[in-house]
Amino acid sequence: MNNQKVETYPRIIENIEDWPIYKLSQDRENFIREIDEFTVARLLAQHRKDLPDMLMKTIYNERIRIKESPWKVDPPNERTFWNKISKRLVKNSLDKSDDDPEAQKSAEEILHKIVHRYSEEIVGTFQIKTFRFAQRFLTVLFSRLLNAAVSKTLRGLLRGRRNLYDRLKVQGEIDTVRELFKHGTVVVVPTHFSNLDSILVGYALDQIIGLPSFSYGAGLNLYNFGPAAYFMNRLGAYRVDRRKKNAVYLETLKTMSNLSIQRGTNSLFFPGGTRSRSGALETDLKMGLLGTTVEAQRAMCQRGDGRKVFIVPLVLSYNFVLEAPFMAEQYLRNTGKENYIYLKDEGKSIRSWARFIWRFFSTSSDIALSVGKPMDVLGNFVDPQGKSFDNFGHELDIQEYFLNSKNEINADQQREAEYTKMLADKIVERFRRENVVLPSHLIAFAVFKILLHQNPKLDLFGILRLPPSDFVFPIAAVENVVGQMLEILKKWEAEGKIKLAPEMKLPTIEVIRDGVKNLGIYHTVVPLKFTRSGDIVSSSFRTLFYYHNRLENYGLDKMMRWEKQEIEVLETVEHE
């Protein structure tokens, strides 16, 4: 059912007690013990000679964290724990010679304590009752909101029936992904634009595609909110504390991911690491968790486990992102080119999220989820039976990639790091190809490029300093540019280089109207709107810049015939 809107699929595993994530949760104590032992062994192999120094750096960073960025969710004994650990390290290890066996033993015991504290914090649980309650609660909540939004009459409120999946356009390699669950562990790697991503992806995988729940990372800061902490603690989320960047914590986190994948627990993580601040598709992926998929596959091959690890890119396409104005400001400040006034992150306000959910349900704007072609951990495409193939269609034996000169499967960190980079490059490529272009993306890109071509002597920051209210974009010029871009995009779609939403097949003027109507419709100040005369005006170049970035890096504007007289921007202050 590739490139088709999907209703719902039957569950591939009906009994929740048979789900890998539930089995992992039931064996949580042993799993944590495995994490502790594996992590300590790995760190000792890497830092046996400088173990006390590594521990002291960890303790120092943790004490700074406690002092400068404490969170409500932090354990009440945080300060006491790290003070005791620090005193013990100073007394038993730092004042002793490097070859003192007692000092080494004490340092290793301290390492065990720290790793265990981290693994206990990271590993979550999965409770069936909570999961079923969450399903019912979300279904009822979404249905009521949808029904209330689409009808203002009591009769409509009582009879109206819509489901959230009516708003989610799921397309792509769904049948293949479902089949792959029989042959190994599935790791979904989505693009990341909004705090809404996890909710939408989780809902789509569960309620639409019919997959068992995935293990997924949740920022520890989200646990500061009581209700959110209650559900995430019981729905298979593992906790990620981005304040902790020391070697011990990062190794513990990676070990958790590696071992859970080896146990067959399907995983979901955002390879970009955090939300895209610019609004562009991710091109620079984080290698940490991504590398655990390669390491897990090698370990499975090493012990003769015939299962494979499958990587599934997933691209989300929004007409509007709740946090877009804040993200644009943050991105522009981080470039270091100009100092921008700080905007409050609307994505963290419960009140703003309530308004956002209502607006989402009360508008006709859709969200596209494009399920990409599944790959093995080396970036080779796989068929529904999990067999890997090269670019020429020849079947590959993935075990051969992990053989050494003696024809034995062995661990090689340098080799696996290269494989991880290969995988990251392939995911980035698939993000580009699986990207679903919405009319809102195209109109934002076209209008912003018109602005750039109209002001060739200004750099980006000079453009963004222009007063938006002084510029009107003639509809004829916009129609000319959008029309050219549509022809290029349709050609690219035929070549498999990108995907287009169904609305992109409408006449050019209808594509423009649809794009302007849906672009950033949540925001108080919408990026684009029509004037009374039918031309287009922007109310915020910075927010427009954010949305335009969705099609940046494709080189679309470089294939255009830019004619100055046809893209001339009318300067005026007499519009709405």
Side-chain angles (χ1 to χ4, degrees):
M1 293 190 65
N2 295 350
N3 301 322
Q4 298 287 330
K5 178 187 173 183
V6 176
E7 293 302 322
T8 57
Y9 285 78
R11 291 198 176 279
I12 62 173
I13 304 177
E14 280 293 340
N15 188 356
I16 296 180
E17 293 182 354
D18 293 331
W19 290 5
I21 194 170
Y22 176 75
K23 293 180 179 179
L24 182 71
S25 178
Q26 291 298 104
D27 197 33
R28 185 177 187 273
E29 185 176 342
N30 288 328
F31 182 50
I32 288 177
R33 188 179 301 114
E34 288 180 20
I35 294 173
D36 293 349
E37 294 173 357
F38 189 99
T39 305
V40 169
R42 173 69 63 84
L43 289 171
L44 288 178
Q46 297 173 349
H47 298 280
R48 188 173 293 276
K49 292 184 178 180
D50 66 337
L51 181 59
D53 289 338
M54 182 190 69
L55 293 175
M56 183 50 70
K57 288 179 182 177
T58 299
I59 294 169
Y60 173 78
N61 288 331
E62 286 292 55
R63 294 175 76 174
I64 293 296
R65 171 185 63 81
I66 294 169
K67 180 180 180 180
E68 296 185 354
S69 57
W71 285 350
K72 180 181 177 181
V73 70
D74 291 333
N77 66 338
E78 277 278 75
R79 192 180 300 275
T80 301
F81 173 83
W82 291 106
N83 285 341
K84 286 184 177 180
I85 288 291
S86 177
K87 292 177 181 178
R88 182 176 176 183
L89 181 64
V90 170
K91 179 180 179 181
N92 298 333
S93 297
L94 293 183
D95 294 339
K96 306 291 179 66
S97 62
D98 293 339
D99 57 354
D100 187 322
E102 289 299 320
Q104 183 68 22
K105 180 181 178 181
S106 178
E108 290 182 12
E109 290 175 350
I110 291 172
L111 178 61
H112 270 277
K113 285 183 176 293
I114 295 175
V115 169
H116 182 71
R117 186 176 183 85
Y118 285 153
S119 59
E120 280 282 1
E121 174 188 286
I122 292 169
V123 178
T125 63
F126 184 85
Q127 297 185 12
I128 294 177
K129 288 184 178 179
T130 306
F131 174 76
R132 285 175 172 160
F133 172 77
Q135 281 185 314
R136 294 192 300 270
F137 174 77
L138 290 175
T139 298
V140 170
L141 174 64
F142 291 155
S143 297
R144 292 297 179 269
L145 284 170
L146 284 166
N147 292 337
V150 299
S151 176
K152 297 181 180 179
T153 66
L154 178 60
R155 182 178 182 182
L157 292 176
L158 295 175
R159 294 186 179 181
R161 286 288 179 182
R162 296 185 67 195
N163 293 307
L164 180 59
Y165 60 73
D166 288 331
R167 307 298 301 283
L168 303 181
K169 311 300 183 184
V170 184
Q171 64 181 55
E173 303 288 334
I174 298 170
D175 292 320
T176 299
V177 172
R178 284 171 55 85
E179 190 68 20
L180 289 176
F181 271 74
K182 301 176 183 178
H183 306 286
T185 306
V186 175
V187 178
V188 174
V189 286
T191 55
H192 196 11
F193 297 99
S194 170
N195 282 325
L196 189 64
D197 293 344
S198 296
I199 300 172
L200 289 176
V201 173
Y203 187 93
L205 295 177
D206 172 43
Q207 292 291 302
I208 299 179
I209 305 180
L211 304 181
S213 285
F214 282 61
S215 172
Y216 64 96
L220 189 63
N221 57 304
L222 298 176
Y223 288 75
N224 287 315
F225 180 53
Y230 176 85
F231 282 104
M232 287 188 292
N233 272 329
R234 295 162 175 81
L235 293 177
Y238 58 87
R239 308 171 189 87
V240 179
D241 190 343
R242 293 187 176 88
R243 298 171 301 172
K244 298 171 183 170
K245 302 183 184 300
N246 65 76
V248 179
Y249 179 80
L250 295 177
E251 193 63 50
T252 308
L253 182 62
K254 289 189 290 185
T255 297
M256 182 282 307
S257 176
N258 174 11
L259 297 184
S260 67
I261 291 172
Q262 290 191 50
R263 279 173 165 246
T265 306
N266 308 294
S267 181
L268 184 155
F269 60 82
F270 298 103
T274 185
R275 294 170 293 172
S276 171
R277 263 50 184 175
S278 68
L281 292 170
E282 291 94 331
T283 57
D284 184 18
L285 305 187
K286 306 298 182 183
M287 300 297 169
L289 289 181
L290 199 59
T292 65
T293 65
V294 178
E295 186 173 358
Q297 181 67 83
R298 185 261 307 155
M300 292 159 66
C301 291
Q302 207 165 7
R303 64 172 181 266
D305 189 333
R307 295 174 303 129
K308 292 175 71 172
V309 180
F310 304 110
I311 310 299
V312 181
L314 190 152
V315 180
L316 295 107
S317 295
Y318 294 96
N319 282 303
F320 60 97
V321 174
L322 172 66
E323 311 97 307
F326 166 78
M327 304 293 268
E329 294 285 340
Q330 192 175 67
Y331 172 77
L332 292 167
R333 288 200 314 273
N334 289 343
T335 61
K337 302 294 183 180
E338 294 287 340
N339 292 321
Y340 278 80
I341 299 173
Y342 174 79
L343 290 183
K344 183 179 179 182
D345 186 353
E346 297 178 354
K348 293 183 179 179
S349 165
I350 296 176
R351 188 173 181 180
S352 68
W353 271 101
R355 293 198 307 268
F356 168 72
I357 291 173
W358 174 260
R359 180 66 65 91
F360 170 65
F361 289 133
S362 62
T363 63
S364 60
S365 181
D366 296 323
I367 294 177
L369 290 89
S370 179
V371 180
K373 296 182 69 172
M375 305 177 285
D376 60 28
V377 298
L378 300 172
N380 302 306
F381 293 132
V382 298
D383 67 7
Q385 286 69 49
K387 297 177 181 178
S388 300
F389 296 88
D390 65 16
N391 293 334
F392 302 99
H394 301 138
E395 186 175 348
L396 302 170
D397 182 358
I398 196 171
Q399 295 190 65
E400 295 180 358
Y401 287 86
F402 298 106
L403 295 175
N404 60 17
S405 57
K406 297 180 180 180
N407 213 32
E408 299 171 336
I409 296 176
N410 72 316
D412 185 326
Q413 291 189 15
Q414 183 176 358
R415 178 188 63 199
E416 291 170 21
E418 286 299 315
Y419 289 168
T420 303
K421 187 177 184 304
M422 288 169 50
L423 176 61
D425 290 342
K426 199 59 179 286
I427 292 173
V428 168
E429 178 192 342
R430 296 318 302 176
F431 280 169
R432 287 172 57 87
R433 290 179 179 268
E434 309 291 352
N435 180 25
V436 177
V437 182
L438 305 177
S440 57
H441 300 158
L442 180 57
I443 188 63
F445 184 79
V447 170
F448 198 81
K449 289 303 180 185
I450 290 175
L451 188 62
L452 290 175
H453 279 268
Q454 183 64 22
N455 297 274
K457 295 183 179 181
L458 296 178
D459 63 8
L460 170 63
F461 300 94
I463 293 291
L464 296 177
R465 285 194 295 270
L466 293 172
S469 60
D470 287 353
F471 289 82
V472 171
F473 303 89
I475 190 61
V478 175
E479 190 171 2
N480 172 50
V481 171
V482 171
Q484 288 190 60
M485 291 182 174
L486 273 173
E487 292 304 313
I488 298 170
L489 288 172
K490 289 174 182 177
K491 178 183 176 183
W492 286 354
E493 183 182 42
E495 296 171 350
K497 295 179 179 179
I498 205 166
K499 294 181 178 179
L500 304 182
E503 296 82 4
M504 297 286 282
K505 308 299 170 62
L506 296 172
T508 301
I509 190 62
E510 294 301 321
V511 172
I512 294 172
R513 288 170 180 162
D514 185 275
V516 171
K517 179 184 73 173
N518 286 299
L519 178 62
I521 55 178
Y522 169 78
H523 306 309
T524 304
V525 180
V526 294
L528 294 176
K529 61 183 178 181
F530 284 106
T531 65
R532 290 180 179 176
S533 62
D535 294 321
I536 295 175
V537 63
S538 174
S539 299
S540 172
F541 287 162
R542 287 175 297 203
T543 307
L544 184 67
F545 165 74
Y546 173 90
Y547 287 110
H548 126 281
N549 281 334
R550 182 60 181 244
L551 286 175
E552 189 70 352
N553 301 322
Y554 279 92
L556 181 59
D557 57 313
K558 294 180 174 60
M559 301 184 69
M560 297 282 300
R561 300 184 308 275
W562 291 100
E563 301 175 27
K564 186 174 181 180
Q565 65 272 22
E566 291 185 349
I567 63 170
E568 184 175 3
V569 177
L570 305 179
E571 294 192 29
T572 178
V573 293
E574 298 300 327
H575 61 74
E576 297 172 300

